[in-house]
Amino acid sequence: MWQHGSGGARPFATALALGAMAMTGGQITAQEGARVIDLPPPRLESGVSLESALLQRRSVREFGAQRLTLGHVAQLLWAAQGVTGHGGLRTAPSAGALYPLELYLLAAGVEGAPAGLYRYEPARHALERVSTHDHRARVARTSARQTWIREAPAVLVIAAVYDRTKGKYGERGIRYVHMEVGHAAQNVYLQATAMGLGTTFVGAFSDGAVRDVLELPDEQAPLGIMPLGWRR
């Protein structure tokens, strides 16, 4: 079973990971009702090779009832958009290092995180709670009633601010944003596989309805939904 831990990593990478805890003195602030949850640092090594994760990666649409931990969601969010280098470089490539993606987590079965909607803050490696509502069922209804969305203990929603990339690349930037979503989603797939978890990428949903349900800012467009949980 995958367990969260520090691993024996290179000093620079370890410093980056531990930096995520600096604002709390090395403690995870996940008290009931807390608006911001500082996440555990990501694990930087594991016993699962990249080749093994590639071989085993599959889309999973049935999830067990077991809850996830803050360590699980921290690792998955870091895999998608975590900071890995000076200047804010991240785990997924981004045209011009402009990083248009915004990550949201619908948490319902996550230990240490009260149910609600959270926004991931890569620079701090933290979750900011923006809503106390469990929106999974409503999001599932806007997604061609794909029931696995409401059954997963957590759901990752990937949104994007196109203007961050279009400001430099014009209309071509739209294509670059879509490429970036694919990079981030594949990172999540492989990380979930390495942890014994499952996910799938959902692209069939009503953009406007998802934006309304999650009350996303007008400039943010939802581009993908990834339910997360233990493989059944």
Side-chain angles (χ1 to χ4, degrees):
M1 180 181 295
W2 183 92
Q3 292 184 341
H4 178 81
S6 59
R10 296 188 300 274
F12 176 67
T14 301
L16 286 172
L18 295 178
M21 299 181 71
M23 298 186 71
T24 59
Q27 300 297 316
I28 303 167
T29 57
Q31 294 89 352
E32 186 73 24
R35 182 174 177 80
V36 175
I37 299 175
D38 288 300
L39 295 169
R43 183 183 179 95
L44 302 178
E45 291 185 356
S46 77
V48 180
S49 70
L50 173 62
E51 293 81 2
S52 177
L54 286 167
L55 179 65
Q56 298 177 57
R57 188 219 59 80
R58 294 292 183 273
S59 292
V60 175
R61 298 178 177 84
E62 294 184 348
F63 303 101
Q66 304 99 310
R67 294 168 64 84
L68 298 177
T69 67
L70 280 179
H72 292 132
V73 298
Q75 193 73 27
L76 292 163
L77 292 166
W78 176 83
Q81 285 286 281
V83 174
T84 57
H86 295 301
L89 297 178
R90 299 186 187 178
T91 52
S94 178
L98 296 169
Y99 303 113
L101 302 188
E102 294 285 345
L103 302 187
Y104 291 89
L105 185 76
L106 284 166
V110 178
E111 296 176 3
L117 175 68
Y118 296 82
R119 187 178 73 86
Y120 179 55
E121 300 180 4
R124 183 173 175 174
H125 189 54
L127 289 173
E128 178 189 12
R129 188 164 63 173
V130 297
S131 171
T132 59
H133 299 294
D134 179 358
H135 293 301
R136 292 174 303 161
R138 293 181 65 192
V139 170
R141 287 196 295 272
T142 72
S143 307
R145 300 188 180 276
Q146 297 181 71
T147 56
W148 41 86
I149 294 174
R150 71 166 185 258
E151 295 168 357
V155 179
L156 174 64
V157 179
I158 305 176
V161 181
Y162 284 108
D163 285 346
R164 290 181 192 166
T165 305
K166 289 173 63 180
K168 180 174 182 178
Y169 297 107
E171 292 303 306
R172 188 77 173 183
I174 296 174
R175 179 178 299 191
Y176 297 158
V177 171
H178 294 167
M179 291 177 181
E180 190 167 338
V181 172
H183 295 312
Q186 180 71 338
N187 282 3
V188 174
Y189 261 114
L190 295 176
Q191 183 68 80
T193 300
M195 296 162 66
L197 302 175
T199 189
T200 189
F201 189 87
V202 175
F205 56 84
S206 167
D207 297 9
V210 170
R211 183 188 287 112
D212 290 345
V213 168
L214 302 185
E215 298 183 351
L216 299 181
D218 291 341
E219 69 273 15
Q220 294 187 19
L223 297 178
I225 298 171
M226 301 184 76
L228 307 165
W230 293 99
R231 297 168 181 248
R232 185 186 299 175

